[in-house]
Amino acid sequence: MISQEIESLPVVYDSVTLRNNSKYKSVALSYLYRQHPMMGGGMFEWIVGARWLQFKERFDVDAIGGILDETHIMTWADNEIIGPEVGLRWFRRSNRWTLSVQGSFVAGTNLQAVRQKGIVGTALGNAQQSQPQYFLPLAMRAQSNDDVEHMTEFSPVVDLKIELKWQATRALAFNVGWNGMWMDNIARPTGMVNYELGETYVLGILADKNEQDVFLNGLRAGIEFNR
């Protein structure tokens, strides 16, 4: 009788490709109250309402070569945030120019859904297809998983906007600005993949890693037409 020692093996791939894709959407329903002009010429507007935000990410891992041959992992994370919003906007006009600064806060409830599909070791159990320089994990066969996790978190959102507008004519205006947004307790798939392989499990979702923060910002430019 020939006995074989079973031991942990390092996982080495010839090449690994990582892809991450993010999408963001937002819809707000607000009531705006404008105060009387200040002595310096500026004006304040109060904003009260509700806001819905959607932040989605997909993270793909494609690894080829090595003792596990091909491994493919796809993980999706959906964040649906909804809650009341309060905000304040200040603006001042000078001839054709208007400068405005707006900030708002959303006390959001985040309904999270994370799904993962993956396959590990597509050629395991078929030694003829594996490269001879690698030692085969004889106690393991190709494995796949399809998991889903649902969580609920409190996700505060802070939004800031700065805009400068030039009124070219009565009906035409040009504007440039900067937008910045911070969201907390967001599920992001890049940090929620369990890469460990065990006797009773393969891969998996780290559901307790769903409280990451996100900061989005960028410059924008636009044209306004008023009839």
Side-chain angles (χ1 to χ4, degrees):
M1 179 179 178
I2 299 176
S3 63
Q4 174 131 16
E5 181 180 356
I6 298 178
E7 61 182 24
S8 299
L9 295 175
V11 177
V12 178
Y13 294 102
D14 293 336
S15 66
V16 178
T17 302
L18 308 177
R19 291 184 297 271
N20 191 56
N21 181 267
S22 304
K23 294 182 179 181
Y24 166 78
K25 295 180 181 179
S26 178
V27 176
L29 179 64
S30 303
Y31 170 79
L32 187 147
Y33 173 75
R34 178 176 293 179
Q35 293 184 333
H36 295 293
M38 301 174 62
M39 294 183 60
M43 299 182 67
F44 280 102
E45 293 178 339
W46 291 92
I47 302 169
V48 179
R51 190 168 180 179
W52 166 81
L53 304 97
Q54 182 186 76
F55 184 79
K56 292 186 174 184
E57 276 197 332
R58 174 173 173 171
F59 179 55
D60 293 347
V61 178
D62 297 305
I64 301 175
I67 62 174
L68 295 183
D69 195 56
E70 293 187 24
T71 294
H72 304 284
I73 309 169
M74 297 171 290
T75 309
W76 300 265
D78 295 347
N79 297 270
E80 304 282 347
I81 304 172
I82 188 169
E85 180 180 35
V86 293
L88 181 64
R89 177 176 179 261
W90 172 88
F91 68 96
R92 181 175 180 177
R93 294 191 179 98
S94 178
N95 297 323
R96 294 176 179 266
W97 296 93
T98 302
L99 175 65
S100 65
V101 180
Q102 177 179 325
S104 63
F105 173 79
V106 180
T109 298
N110 187 357
L111 305 178
Q112 302 174 342
V114 181
R115 183 179 182 184
Q116 182 185 94
K117 297 181 69 176
I119 183 169
V120 177
T122 56
L124 290 180
N126 187 354
Q128 288 75 19
Q129 293 184 7
S130 300
Q131 300 183 31
Q133 66 266 35
Y134 297 111
F135 295 97
L136 297 176
L138 301 178
M140 180 179 174
R141 297 294 181 265
Q143 302 287 337
S144 63
N145 76 316
D146 190 345
D147 298 329
V148 178
E149 295 282 351
H150 296 275
M151 296 80 70
T152 302
E153 296 287 346
F154 169 70
S155 292
V157 180
V158 178
D159 193 2
L160 180 63
K161 300 176 182 178
I162 302 175
E163 182 183 82
L164 181 64
K165 181 168 67 174
W166 180 64
Q167 195 74 37
T169 66
R170 186 174 182 179
L172 177 64
F174 300 91
N175 63 72
V176 294
W178 174 85
N179 284 29
M181 177 180 292
W182 173 80
M183 300 180 287
D184 200 13
N185 294 335
I186 301 296
R188 307 193 68 181
T190 50
M192 300 184 68
V193 181
N194 182 5
Y195 297 98
E196 296 181 0
L197 308 178
E199 295 181 1
T200 59
Y201 61 89
V202 175
L203 302 175
I205 299 171
L206 299 174
D208 59 339
K209 303 295 184 181
N210 65 325
E211 299 178 350
Q212 301 186 50
D213 64 330
V214 175
F215 179 69
L216 308 174
N217 77 100
L219 300 174
R220 62 183 177 86
I223 301 176
E224 297 181 9
F225 293 97
N226 294 314
R227 296 184 61 184

